[in-house]
Amino acid sequence: MDAYQSVGIRRRLRRFFRRDGRALIFAMDHGFEHGPTDFEEHWEHVNPRIILRKVVRAGIDGVMMLPGIARIAGDEVKPNVGLMIKLTSKTNLRPKDEQLLQSQLGFVEDAVKLGADAIAATVYWGSPQEDVMMRQFAEIASYAHDLGFPVVQFAYPRGPYINEKYGRKEDYRVVMYGARAAAESGADMIKTYWTGSKETFAKVVDAAAGVPVLLSGGAKTENPVDFLKLVWDVIEAGGSGAVVGRNIFQRENPEPFIKALLRVIHRNEDPEEAAKAEGLL
Ligand SMILES: O=P(O)(O)OC[C@H]1O[C@](O)(COP(=O)(O)O)[C@@H](O)[C@@H]1O
């Protein structure tokens, strides 16, 4: 028989992933991680209730936020939408040489109290502070797993040695290494960078050894179809979906865009067809 915890982890993962094993998750930790200026393009979205209402109405599979925003606006997240609470972060106000560390700002108990379905933490693989983040992740994962909660790792390789050796943090060898490290450290879901091509992203997926790999959205593309094409490539490469922030809340009208993304992710629709169907073209 399965341990109770295993049943809980599987049940909770199903609140994000549909039967096809894929998910579209809205990321909303930017007010803390990048600062409120990220919302300036469409300032009404700085209000978590307004943007959450829109993404939930559009049919998003899950949302990710820090504990305080879940307290303020978590009731906008309907019971059929997965709630992911992230327990580490950093502000952009820190001195540059301390930007390579995410600190813990909440505890597993807080996420449980808030009704989370999954618990997330970032590890900057390759950072001079890697050791601190590895320990944070290990402590969070061990306790969360004991309680039956899946754990998501934002596996973001970054640091001076990576730049020196590989030139860029999006080099597939580095991203693949981060994804593997995430799988080896016990993640149940991995969020990471785009590597630039379907072929290289497929290697990242392989390296994760069966742990679902989701794209980390990145900066908004001016043309929405460009982002739909990117997500299409992620799916073609065996990726399990995307965790998207700026590409959603920096658009004036995120709803048709989310619906088009859902068509690409869950119905394998061609990006241009999906865009047309939602009136984006
Ligand atoms: O560390 P970076 O690259 O500045 O971005 C981190 C941000 O990107 C995310 O991981 C994903 O959001 P985006 O889709 O806007 O890139 C957020 O959760 C986080 O705040």
Side-chain angles (χ1 to χ4, degrees):
M1 293 288 276
D2 283 334
Y4 287 177
Q5 298 94 313
S6 311
V7 178
I9 291 170
R10 275 204 303 274
R11 269 185 74 79
R12 291 187 171 98
L13 279 172
R14 287 212 304 269
R15 297 192 184 132
F16 297 91
F17 294 109
R18 296 194 192 173
R19 286 215 173 133
D20 56 14
R22 299 176 189 163
L24 175 64
I25 298 170
F26 175 55
M28 200 186 50
D29 56 345
H30 301 65
F32 193 101
E33 205 149 294
H34 293 178
T37 48
D38 255 22
F39 295 96
E40 271 176 351
E41 225 168 307
H42 293 290
W43 188 238
E44 71 277 14
H45 293 161
V46 79
N47 180 332
R49 286 197 177 276
I50 291 181
I51 184 65
L52 279 173
R53 213 163 282 165
K54 291 183 186 179
V55 301
V56 169
R57 205 162 46 204
I60 203 96
D61 298 315
V63 298
M64 180 278 291
M65 59 184 80
L66 299 178
I69 294 292
R71 181 172 66 153
I72 294 165
D75 56 332
E76 296 291 344
V77 183
K78 302 255 163 57
N80 62 335
V81 176
L83 175 64
M84 185 187 296
I85 299 290
K86 186 167 177 250
L87 296 181
T88 65
S89 199
K90 67 158 170 52
T91 71
N92 246 345
L93 302 172
R94 286 184 180 182
K96 202 159 177 269
D97 57 0
E98 287 167 38
Q99 292 283 343
L100 290 171
L101 170 68
Q102 290 233 339
S103 310
Q104 195 162 343
L105 50 55
F107 300 90
V108 170
E109 290 91 337
D110 298 325
V112 175
K113 288 176 205 164
L114 288 161
D117 301 304
I119 298 175
T122 296
V123 179
Y124 293 146
W125 294 107
S127 154
Q129 310 276 7
E130 183 191 84
D131 175 60
V132 176
M133 285 173 283
M134 274 175 72
R135 280 165 196 267
Q136 273 170 0
F137 186 81
E139 279 176 21
I140 289 170
S142 171
Y143 190 28
H145 283 157
D146 266 354
L147 298 178
F149 285 78
V151 177
V152 185
Q153 187 177 117
F154 294 16
Y156 288 176
R158 53 180 78 171
Y161 180 60
I162 288 174
N163 299 339
E164 207 180 286
K165 190 164 175 200
Y166 298 96
R168 54 201 291 270
K169 63 184 180 8
E170 294 85 3
D171 184 303
Y172 87 90
R173 293 166 296 177
V174 179
V175 179
M176 177 170 87
Y177 199 155
R180 181 60 173 222
E184 299 212 18
S185 53
D188 303 295
M189 205 193 291
I190 297 167
K191 170 174 181 259
T192 197
Y193 315 129
W194 176 238
T195 49
S197 73
K198 221 163 38 184
E199 293 69 28
T200 53
F201 202 78
K203 291 202 163 190
V204 176
V205 171
D206 288 345
V211 180
V213 177
L214 287 87
L215 171 78
S216 177
K220 187 185 100 175
T221 61
E222 269 328 304
N223 183 346
V225 179
D226 289 343
F227 192 74
L228 294 174
K229 285 184 180 161
L230 171 56
V231 171
W232 166 267
D233 281 348
V234 167
I235 298 298
E236 289 260 288
S240 301
V243 185
V244 183
R246 286 164 287 177
N247 267 286
I248 290 177
F249 68 72
Q250 289 181 348
R251 295 191 194 277
E252 185 180 359
N253 187 5
E255 289 175 65
F257 181 67
I258 292 172
K259 288 181 181 160
L261 275 172
L262 290 167
R263 284 175 182 270
V264 170
I265 293 174
H266 292 300
R267 298 199 214 161
N268 296 318
E269 270 187 34
D270 170 78
E272 292 199 353
E273 293 304 317
K276 271 189 211 143
E278 295 302 337
L280 298 171
L281 277 181

